[in-house]
Amino acid sequence: MGNIIDEMMAAEPFRIKMVEPIKTTTKEERQRKIKEAGYNVFNLESKDVYIDLLTDSGTSAMSDNQWAGMMLGDEAYAGSKNFYNLKDAIKEVMGYDYFLPTHQGRAAENVLFQLYVEEGNYVPNNMHFDTTKAHVQDKRGRPVNLVIDEAYDAKKNVPFKGNMDIDKLDNFLKEHSDNVPIVLLTVTCNSGGGQPVSMENIKEVSEICKKYNKPFYLDACRFAENAYFIKLREPGYADKSIPEITREMFSYADGCTMSSKKDALVNIGGFLAMEDEKLLDKAKVLGVLYEGFPTYGGMAGRDMEAMARGLLEVVEEEYLQYRINQVNYLGEKLKEKKVPILEPVGGHAVYLDAGRFLPNIPKDQFPGQALTVALYEEGGIRGVEIGTVLSGRDPETGDHDYPELELVRLTIPRRVYTYRHMDVVAEAAKIIHDKRDEIGGYKFTYEPEILRHFTARFAPVK
Ligand SMILES: *Cc1c(COP(=O)(O)O)cnc(C)c1O
């Protein structure tokens, strides 16, 4: 018997000194609200949501130390001291000397791809996140996903399901090298289910990029969660500290894009970090145009301070153990109740496998959307479709760009909900699963051209 606070079921490594009340609603109220929202949970008012698992992006609870830092904002236009604190934190955790602050992650992508991507270029990644894909396409480039095949098998339990397929990457570069300006690797692999990438894989991708002389960037939004999985699962890392692991991860790449709304434990912000000072000079030109002066880049000084402190907190092992355990707990509860999920459970979310959950609904009637609506109606729980609706249309054929999997993501905000909230979510999913034959599909009543999932409206197919 170990120490009780070391066990799997360790409670939260914090106590709560401020609370935010959340409202319960009746099922009839929720049915009315979701109908008014065009059956799109992005159109709901958050006050009408009981447990909000839409995203882990910008939804973290900050610590007392971060809030204290907010009071130390230096709002100087140029040379804010918080910029330098953030610079030190990035150096400490990632090892990079140079960075451009941006208002969030996609803004860093915008700058990076403007520097590298031209019309017709291919940009390989394990799997592009939706904003990453959209920003490559915005520069008339072509995003390419080269993740290992196992990533598409919802039932296959492999430790590093986010890995790049090294042979696919090598072959792709062999064939298209002239037309590939940059290679990315997303850690953890969000679109693949928050699945981690091994250190060995990061190193191998780096070696291939060196062989073909390509810059290599990490999409680092969940770098700390990835590092914790490396510590747990990869031989040789059990005794290394998380900062040692994160610095090694970043040492293989030329830089990274970062959404601080994820693993920097803040509500807004991002950056583009790199090893090369000359590249920073070029990035600064675009930064001034799109973000702001290079020592604030679209953020207030106080936001940079909270981010600097968050970056140091997110690599604390006790925090990461709690974080990964809580997400895993929800996955285990769902499995106990025979609800089909993507396995293994990733770092920031549990993914319901809507394809297996609602096999009667054809793909063009959006099973993931149907399950998302049902979860809200049943339990006031807001998840999000990660399937055909999110994937959009193929720009060449105009057809739905059907993804391999139809999923609903239940994303757990950091340090926000308790284990009891997870029990409620699992129970609601079970109730829906028991009456799955009664659930029908949806069709568009309004479909915007890009990033359609955010503002689309739907109606039930009858
Ligand atoms: C969230 C996210 C982004 C974009 O960051 P924003 O801060 O939302 O603009 C890019 N890549 C991945 C993997 C993400 O999860």
Side-chain angles (χ1 to χ4, degrees):
M1 283 282 126
N3 182 339
I4 192 161
I5 63 168
D6 294 336
E7 302 283 321
M8 258 293 285
M9 292 301 296
E12 290 80 356
F14 50 80
R15 53 187 177 182
I16 298 165
K17 69 170 125 193
M18 188 191 282
V19 295
E20 179 187 357
I22 47 180
K23 191 177 83 172
T24 53
T25 45
T26 65
K27 192 163 179 184
E28 289 68 37
E29 283 172 316
R30 292 192 294 270
Q31 283 168 332
R32 185 163 47 79
K33 296 282 181 191
I34 194 71
K35 189 174 179 198
E36 285 166 10
Y39 297 97
N40 183 345
V41 292
F42 283 101
N43 293 332
L44 288 170
E45 287 186 53
S46 101
K47 70 173 175 52
D48 298 322
V49 176
Y50 178 51
I51 300 177
D52 201 347
L53 307 184
L54 184 65
T55 177
D56 64 329
S57 179
T59 53
S60 300
M62 293 206 296
S63 67
D64 53 357
N65 179 49
Q66 286 177 291
W67 279 108
M70 295 286 280
M71 299 307 287
L72 300 175
D74 170 0
E75 306 304 342
Y77 192 90
S80 160
K81 70 180 177 205
N82 312 117
F83 171 85
Y84 292 99
N85 291 345
L86 179 55
K87 186 175 161 69
D88 290 345
I90 292 171
K91 176 75 183 168
E92 159 81 20
V93 171
M94 300 178 161
Y96 295 129
D97 285 313
Y98 306 104
F99 83 105
L100 182 79
T102 59
H103 76 276
Q104 57 185 85
R106 68 198 67 186
E109 293 168 352
N110 182 35
V111 171
L112 182 68
F113 296 146
Q114 282 203 46
L115 290 173
Y116 283 107
V117 180
E118 287 172 9
E119 183 160 357
N121 284 170
Y122 294 105
V123 178
N125 200 332
N126 45 356
M127 283 176 100
H128 286 273
F129 179 65
D130 56 351
T131 64
T132 320
K133 176 179 171 184
H135 269 291
V136 171
Q137 288 173 336
D138 179 59
K139 280 65 185 178
R140 304 273 178 269
R142 287 177 281 192
V144 185
N145 291 340
L146 301 177
V147 72
I148 53 172
D149 289 337
E150 287 94 325
Y152 298 115
D153 183 344
K155 284 193 261 185
K156 193 127 191 184
N157 198 327
V158 295
F160 292 102
K161 222 173 168 177
N163 279 358
M164 184 86 88
D165 188 315
I166 296 299
D167 291 335
K168 282 190 207 164
L169 179 65
D170 198 13
N171 290 333
F172 194 87
L173 284 168
K174 206 175 284 165
E175 198 171 327
H176 300 286
S177 185
D178 291 346
N179 213 6
V180 175
I182 187 168
V183 174
L184 266 72
L185 185 64
T186 307
V187 295
T188 58
C189 183
N190 186 355
S191 306
Q195 300 295 333
V197 177
S198 71
M199 191 73 86
E200 188 188 13
N201 193 253
I202 297 173
K203 204 165 152 183
E204 283 173 341
V205 171
S206 164
E207 278 159 13
I208 290 185
C209 289
K210 287 211 179 76
K211 176 167 134 191
Y212 292 95
N213 202 18
K214 301 297 171 195
F216 169 39
Y217 273 69
L218 292 177
D219 179 342
C221 300
R222 297 181 185 77
F223 73 97
E225 290 167 9
N226 199 87
Y228 190 68
F229 281 117
I230 288 175
K231 185 176 169 96
L232 286 185
R233 295 179 184 172
E234 192 159 349
Y237 289 92
D239 296 326
K240 293 222 157 93
S241 75
I242 298 294
E244 281 175 309
I245 295 173
T246 58
R247 281 193 297 266
E248 184 181 341
M249 284 165 56
F250 289 104
S251 74
Y252 300 122
D254 297 298
C256 71
T257 56
M258 177 71 189
S259 169
S260 306
K261 304 174 73 171
K262 324 299 177 31
D263 268 357
L265 298 173
V266 292
N267 306 117
I268 194 71
F271 56 84
L272 174 64
M274 70 283 282
E275 259 169 5
D276 179 4
E277 190 177 9
K278 288 202 200 76
L279 190 77
L280 176 66
D281 290 338
K282 288 192 206 158
K284 276 180 182 170
V285 176
L286 295 168
V288 170
L289 188 59
Y290 291 101
E291 300 300 305
F293 189 76
T295 62
Y296 73 86
M299 279 181 287
R302 54 180 172 270
D303 290 333
M304 290 191 284
E305 186 62 36
M307 189 194 296
R309 293 175 184 218
L311 279 175
L312 300 178
E313 284 177 18
V314 81
V315 295
E316 284 171 13
E317 205 171 317
E318 265 200 343
Y319 159 75
L320 284 168
Q321 181 190 35
Y322 144 75
R323 166 70 175 159
I324 301 300
N325 277 355
Q326 190 186 38
V327 176
N328 194 48
Y329 173 87
L330 175 59
E332 290 299 320
K333 284 276 152 183
L334 288 163
K335 278 195 323 195
E336 267 171 32
K337 295 175 194 293
K338 309 274 182 269
V339 174
I341 63 168
L342 188 74
E343 287 190 73
V345 169
H348 65 293
V350 177
Y351 290 69
L352 301 176
D353 185 349
R356 275 191 290 146
F357 198 122
L358 297 171
N360 301 337
I361 301 181
K363 278 184 172 191
D364 63 357
Q365 292 181 18
F366 315 129
Q369 191 65 26
L371 182 51
T372 305
V373 171
L375 266 173
Y376 176 71
E377 289 182 337
E378 191 62 47
I381 296 151
R382 176 155 67 173
V384 64
E385 193 253 20
I386 306 278
T388 299
V389 177
L390 175 73
S391 190
R393 289 184 185 272
D394 184 315
E396 271 144 47
T397 66
D399 288 342
H400 293 304
D401 191 1
Y402 290 111
E404 305 272 339
L405 297 172
E406 296 289 336
L407 303 172
V408 173
R409 190 180 71 189
L410 304 174
T411 336
I412 316 301
R414 296 171 180 77
R415 306 191 291 207
V416 170
Y417 291 112
T418 64
Y419 280 87
R420 186 74 184 119
H421 289 116
M422 300 301 115
D423 291 337
V424 171
V425 174
E427 190 54 30
K430 181 198 180 317
I431 292 170
I432 299 165
H433 193 238
D434 288 346
K435 56 177 183 193
R436 56 191 175 276
D437 296 339
E438 296 164 28
I439 295 169
Y442 285 82
K443 60 181 183 209
F444 280 112
T445 58
Y446 165 63
E447 183 189 352
E449 221 171 284
I450 50 165
L451 297 176
R452 63 183 183 176
H453 55 293
F454 287 131
T455 51
R457 297 182 75 85
F458 302 87
V461 177
K462 274 279 142 56

